[in-house]
Amino acid sequence: MPFFYVYSPDDFVGGLPSESTNATSGWNSLTLKPGATPTLIEMVDDDGNFDEVDASQVLAGDINLDGTTYAAGSPVHSAYDLINSSTGLKVTSLHFTGDGNNGGPVHGLIATEELLPGTTYTFDINRTSHLKSNPSSEYVACFTPGTRIETQNGAVPIEALQPGDMIATRDRGYQPLRLLLRTYVSRERLVTHPNLRPIHITAGALGLGLPTRDLLVSPQHRFLTISPIAKRMFSREDILVSAKRLTALPGIFVQDSDDPVTYLHFVMDQHEVIFADGTPTESFYCGPMAVHLLDEAARVEIDALFPGLTTSSEIPKPARTIPCGNQQKKLIERHRKNHKALLNYAF
C-alpha cells in the first residue's frame, strides 16, 4: 500500500485549478505558499499506477484536507497532470470522492519532486491523467549492487554491508548503518516504465577522477557538487543534484537496457554525505517524496528503528541544499557550457 504526500488547495496561492473537460484551465503556474506542508496519505492500489477511473484506488485511513475529512475507503481518482517538459516535474491532481468522472474542484495534488514553499512552478503541458503512465514507484533514490561504500574497514560492496557497520561520512566521521533495504525492478516493469532504468555514471565523469569505477544508481539518487558555479548560484559551493539531471553531461546516461535491477536503500540516523566508489553522494533521505514510495515492509522496518518517522509531518533536514529540478538543470547547463567538472575542489 503506497504512501503519498498530498498538497491541498489551501497550500497554494489562489488554490488549485479545477478539472475542466479532460484537463483543466488556468494551469500555467502554481505557487506554493510559504510554510505549506503536505499531508501524508496511504492508499490501497492493485497496480501501482494512478489513474482517473480506477475502483481499486481507495484511502487506507481517514485524512483531513483543508478542514474536510475523507474517510478510509474513500475513492482516490486522479484528474489532470501538469508537466514541465524542460525540468521533468509532473504534478497530478486528485479527487477523494466520485467515480473518476466527476469534474470541478480537485481535493489535492501530488508531485514527482518535493515542492518548495514560496516557490512558483510553471508548466507547458496540461493533460488528462486517464490512461497515462503515473507510476507510484517512479522516483526511488538508491544504489545498485556492486557499488563500493567507504567504511571504517575500507571500501565494501554495498550488498555486503550489515546494520551496525561504520560508514565514512563527510561531516560526522564514521556513523553506523542502520538499515539496508532492497527494491527489485523486473524486466517487465522496466519495459512499461523505462523511467525506472538506472543512470550510468562513467568512471571519472564527475571530475577529480571520480567515480573511481562506473556507477549505476536510480534516477533520483543525488550526488554532491563542489564548484564555484554552485557557489555563485546558491551561495554555497556544495549542493546535491539528482542523477537524472547529470545525464546532460558527457559520460552520464540512462542505461539502454531492460535487464532487471535491484536498488538498495542506505538508511542512517540522519541524511548524510557518504562516499560511493570515492564519490561524495547521499544516504537515503527520508523526505516525503522518498518515504511514500517505500513498500509496506520497508516502512515497517524504518519505523521500528525510527518510530513515527514515516508518518511525521516534519520534513527531515537534508545534509545539503537540494535545489528544485529547474535550478539543478541550470547548474548542469552552466557546467557543460563552461566545460567545468562537478567536482572541482578536493575534499
Side-chain angles (χ1 to χ4, degrees):
M1 293 188 290
F3 280 75
F4 299 90
Y5 269 86
V6 176
Y7 297 89
S8 73
D10 279 357
D11 285 329
F12 294 90
V13 175
L16 288 171
S18 297
E19 182 181 16
S20 177
T21 312
N22 290 325
T24 186
S25 57
W27 52 272
N28 300 90
S29 67
L30 295 172
T31 300
L32 195 63
K33 293 178 180 177
T37 303
T39 299
L40 182 71
I41 72 168
E42 184 177 14
M43 189 179 79
V44 177
D45 185 19
D46 65 354
D47 63 4
N49 189 77
F50 269 106
D51 201 358
E52 187 166 352
V53 183
D54 185 346
S56 75
Q57 297 171 172
V58 299
L59 291 174
D62 296 352
I63 65 168
N64 185 287
L65 291 175
D66 296 343
T68 299
T69 298
Y70 302 96
S74 295
V76 180
H77 296 289
S78 57
Y80 55 79
D81 299 330
L82 304 180
I83 301 171
N84 185 310
S85 61
S86 296
T87 67
L89 171 65
K90 175 172 62 178
V91 299
T92 297
S93 62
L94 303 177
H95 283 120
F96 298 111
T97 58
D99 60 4
N101 295 300
N102 45 307
V106 297
H107 304 134
L109 195 78
I110 57 174
T112 57
E113 295 181 8
E114 210 164 299
L115 303 183
L116 302 178
T119 302
T120 297
Y121 297 91
T122 60
F123 307 93
D124 58 337
I125 296 174
N126 170 28
R127 71 182 191 187
T128 176
S129 57
H130 184 44
L131 299 179
K132 303 298 183 182
S133 176
N134 290 330
S136 61
S137 58
E138 194 167 17
Y139 304 112
V140 177
C142 40
F143 297 98
T144 59
T147 302
R148 296 180 299 185
I149 304 298
E150 191 64 33
T151 76
Q152 199 168 33
N153 298 315
V156 177
I158 187 171
E159 66 272 22
L161 291 172
Q162 298 293 326
D165 286 347
M166 300 301 290
I167 308 301
T169 73
R170 180 171 169 80
D171 304 317
R172 300 194 307 134
Y174 293 103
Q175 295 295 320
L177 171 66
R178 300 299 298 276
L179 194 62
L180 194 63
L181 302 171
R182 290 170 169 80
T183 298
Y184 176 76
V185 185
S186 67
R187 181 184 300 275
E188 291 75 19
R189 188 155 183 77
L190 287 172
V191 169
T192 57
H193 300 292
N195 54 308
L196 293 177
R197 290 175 178 173
I199 305 299
H200 186 127
I201 301 177
T202 305
L206 296 177
L208 300 177
L210 296 175
T212 56
R213 57 198 293 271
D214 288 10
L215 276 178
L216 288 179
V217 297
S218 65
Q220 278 294 335
H221 189 84
R222 303 179 186 97
F223 288 84
L224 194 70
T225 71
I226 307 174
S227 77
I229 296 177
K231 188 171 185 177
R232 288 195 296 270
M233 291 182 64
F234 306 106
S235 298
R236 65 174 302 156
E237 64 187 19
D238 53 346
I239 63 167
L240 289 165
V241 176
S242 64
K244 72 174 185 178
R245 301 295 173 193
L246 303 180
T247 56
L249 296 174
I252 304 175
F253 53 91
V254 178
Q255 181 159 292
D256 186 20
S257 168
D258 294 321
D259 291 340
V261 62
T262 297
Y263 291 129
L264 292 99
H265 312 272
F266 196 90
V267 184
M268 301 180 73
D269 285 329
Q270 65 184 51
H271 194 220
E272 300 278 7
V273 175
I274 61 172
F275 297 93
D277 287 303
T279 309
T281 184
E282 66 172 347
S283 66
F284 179 68
Y285 177 53
C286 295
M289 297 308 295
V291 170
H292 81 245
L293 294 177
L294 296 172
D295 61 29
E296 184 175 8
R299 290 194 303 273
V300 168
E301 287 190 75
I302 289 178
D303 274 331
L305 288 172
F306 310 101
L309 179 62
T310 64
T311 56
S312 173
S313 61
E314 295 185 10
I315 299 175
K317 182 180 178 180
R320 291 294 188 279
T321 298
I322 303 174
C324 69
N326 192 46
Q327 291 174 317
Q328 292 184 32
K329 181 183 177 183
K330 289 179 180 178
L331 172 69
I332 299 305
E333 287 176 347
R334 293 179 186 180
H335 272 272
R336 183 177 59 183
K337 181 179 179 180
N338 292 282
H339 305 285
K340 299 290 187 181
L342 284 176
L343 293 172
N344 283 339
Y345 298 163
F347 41 88

